[in-house]
Amino acid sequence: MRREPPEVAELGGKRLLAPMIPPRYGGLGWTHAQLGDLCCDLGSVDSALRAAVTVQSMTAAAVVRWGSAGLRDRVLPGLSDGSLLAGFCLTEPEAGSDAASVRSQATARTGSWLLDGAKVWVTGGRWADVLLVIAATAEGPLALLVEAGGDGVRREPVEDSLAMPGAGLADIAFDRVEVPADAVVGRPGMGLSHVAGVALANGRLTVAAGCAGLARTCRDHAVAHARSRRQDSRPIGDHQLVRRLLARAGVASNSADLVYRWAAAGLDERADDAGHRAILAKYTAARAADEAADCATQVLGSAAFRAGHPVTALVADARVMRIIEGTDEICESVIGETLLRSRGDSGR
């Protein structure tokens, strides 16, 4: 049964799920900087809210950039007003971080493609109407926009996730799903390098921004607790060790904030290193959020483990940010490779 995603704010009667979609398709035409600011605010409250915007924006960005005119006209208005909800299907049981090893297969037919395979941990998969699926073909990776309620599509909700339980996670299987040729995004061979590349750059920006908001919330709760909690007739914030924890949380929060804004500027300016900025921002901000959450937990002590405390859920969310949209290790590998190829000025 289809379940509704978390409620997301509206502006001018439009749901803020994919606000970067151009106005001619019913969107707000926001910049990456504006999208980042929204995700920062959402991430400070609930990572599931931010995730809903992330997956919708990733799919929309790919369709805007690589979809045919007919596909844009057909899909973008629904993605804009929220009448169509999206899921992004890349990760597989045997191909997680190694995206180039996807085993889902799309076979060409006359006027269509036949899709078989399985995807796991699909954000929004529980309620998605359309799925942006990356599959292998004889000509290279292919991106397909698949109707989630179509014949041969089976989804299994992930009920045991310890992080972002409200993100609508699902495992999805495709059994001889017929996909019309006009639902192809880009063309064969472009699925990873171009289509998924655009989607992931947007996704990494929104994750980085959400991490900045998460880190800010953890920092603020740690500071508030250090001011109010008293020990030996004085606030625990008077103790040097507690101040060190607050300092680390503060540095983490500020660094995450600065790096996502830097990445957003690169994407808006279409800088040559925009993709590098996005992955560097995601890596830096995710680690910063984890650091801030860890420091807040140490300051709060047992209070951080009481059900209902704002920091409790954010601790698990912060840790998973170092895995989604590229693990720490994958990010390090890509960043290191970029630096080796550069002339020494990359990452300024």
Side-chain angles (χ1 to χ4, degrees):
M1 180 180 295
R2 186 176 185 272
R3 293 174 56 180
E4 288 299 314
E7 286 298 319
V8 180
E10 295 186 359
L11 181 65
K14 298 181 184 297
R15 297 182 73 188
L16 298 182
L17 281 169
M20 290 184 64
I21 291 175
R24 65 180 176 276
Y25 300 111
L28 297 173
W30 275 17
T31 64
H32 289 90
Q34 290 173 303
L35 177 65
D37 290 346
L38 170 66
C39 288
C40 180
D41 288 340
L42 293 177
S44 71
V45 180
D46 184 350
S47 295
L49 294 175
R50 191 272 311 149
V53 174
T54 289
V55 70
Q56 194 87 345
S57 296
M58 289 173 72
T59 303
V63 173
V64 168
R65 179 66 181 86
W66 296 109
S68 65
L71 187 63
R72 293 196 298 267
D73 289 338
R74 189 167 72 248
V75 172
L76 291 178
L79 292 178
S80 176
D81 65 19
S83 59
L84 281 180
L85 300 176
F88 180 58
C89 299
L90 178 60
T91 302
E92 297 184 357
E94 302 300 327
S97 297
D98 185 13
S101 297
V102 295
R103 296 183 180 179
S104 294
Q105 190 75 30
T107 305
R109 305 178 72 180
T110 302
S112 67
W113 291 84
L114 200 62
L115 175 64
D116 289 281
K119 302 291 183 177
V120 297
W121 292 96
V122 179
T123 301
R126 190 178 301 185
W127 53 63
D129 301 293
V130 292
L131 302 164
L132 183 60
V133 182
I134 306 299
T137 75
E139 301 173 71
L142 178 69
L144 295 162
L145 204 60
V146 181
E147 292 187 11
D151 293 340
V153 180
R154 186 178 72 255
R155 43 185 158 189
E156 184 68 29
V158 176
E159 303 285 6
D160 57 354
S161 175
L162 298 180
M164 297 193 299
L169 296 169
D171 297 337
I172 302 181
F174 304 96
D175 182 13
R176 296 184 64 80
V177 177
E178 189 164 7
V179 184
D182 61 4
V184 170
V185 185
R187 60 179 183 269
M190 295 174 57
L192 280 176
S193 58
H194 294 70
V195 182
V198 166
L200 288 170
N202 279 267
R204 286 163 177 158
L205 169 66
T206 61
V207 170
C211 285
L214 190 158
R216 181 180 68 201
T217 295
C218 290
R219 176 202 66 193
D220 290 349
H221 278 286
V223 170
H225 188 79
R227 286 172 175 162
S228 62
R229 175 75 165 88
R230 302 184 71 84
Q231 188 177 51
D232 298 330
S233 300
R234 59 175 179 159
I236 61 171
D238 286 353
H239 295 282
Q240 186 179 30
L241 290 177
V242 173
R243 290 186 177 185
R244 289 180 61 190
L245 290 168
L246 297 180
R248 285 163 52 192
V251 169
S253 175
N254 286 354
S255 64
D257 189 78
L258 290 169
V259 77
Y260 96 74
R261 295 179 188 278
W262 172 68
L267 288 167
D268 283 331
E269 296 164 3
R270 298 188 178 182
D272 291 341
D273 66 343
H276 174 71
R277 292 193 193 193
I279 196 168
L280 195 152
K282 184 271 166 185
Y283 171 80
T284 303
R287 293 175 67 87
D290 198 26
E291 171 82 351
D294 182 66
C295 291
T297 301
Q298 291 302 111
V299 173
L300 288 159
S302 61
F305 294 93
R306 290 187 177 275
H309 194 286
V311 169
T312 305
L314 294 180
V315 170
D317 289 352
R319 189 61 184 84
V320 82
M321 296 307 162
R322 295 176 58 186
I323 299 174
I324 62 174
E325 308 301 345
T327 64
D328 279 1
E329 293 73 21
I330 291 295
C331 290
E332 289 170 348
S333 178
V334 173
I335 293 167
E337 181 183 358
T338 301
L339 290 171
L340 287 171
R341 291 200 315 263
S342 72
R343 297 180 179 178
D345 56 355
S346 183
R348 284 185 302 181

